[in-house]
Amino acid sequence: MPEGIIGMHDMEVIYQVTDPFGIDRETITVELSKEDPGAVGRNARGILEITVPESGTIEEFAARLQAELAAMGYTAREGDGEEDEDG
């Protein structure tokens, strides 16, 4: 995979951040190419638009993504029902 293109690992990390906020994956677009400084925004239709930066690691961007989502008013859900403690 070329350096400037996002891969499956990048998407997995992004979803590890967005899923706890309860953001439907169908309402997220991620630019295929990486571009500095990266960006997180919401368009007029409410679609979350993400551009992963080319410099730095995806894990570093994940921390920024989490902070920016919180600043946009998203709140993490206390358990999303995906894990059942009783088995």
Side-chain angles (χ1 to χ4, degrees):
M1 184 75 50
E3 282 292 313
I5 303 295
I6 64 166
M8 288 304 297
H9 175 69
D10 298 315
M11 289 306 301
E12 290 170 8
V13 172
I14 289 169
Y15 289 143
Q16 287 173 0
V17 174
T18 59
D19 285 352
F21 283 99
I23 301 169
D24 186 337
R25 292 181 180 191
E26 296 292 322
T27 64
I28 300 170
T29 62
V30 181
E31 190 69 34
L32 180 59
S33 59
K34 295 179 180 180
E35 185 177 318
D36 284 333
V40 180
R42 192 171 33 213
N43 70 21
R45 296 180 298 141
I47 302 295
L48 185 62
E49 298 176 328
I50 299 171
T51 302
V52 175
E54 191 166 12
S55 59
T57 66
I58 188 64
E59 290 77 15
E60 291 169 335
F61 179 66
R64 174 180 156 196
L65 175 60
Q66 186 170 15
E68 290 195 30
L69 291 174
M72 293 169 73
Y74 290 100
T75 56
R77 300 184 317 182
E78 287 296 320
D80 54 14
E82 290 185 7
E83 292 185 25
D84 183 9
E85 292 180 9
D86 294 328

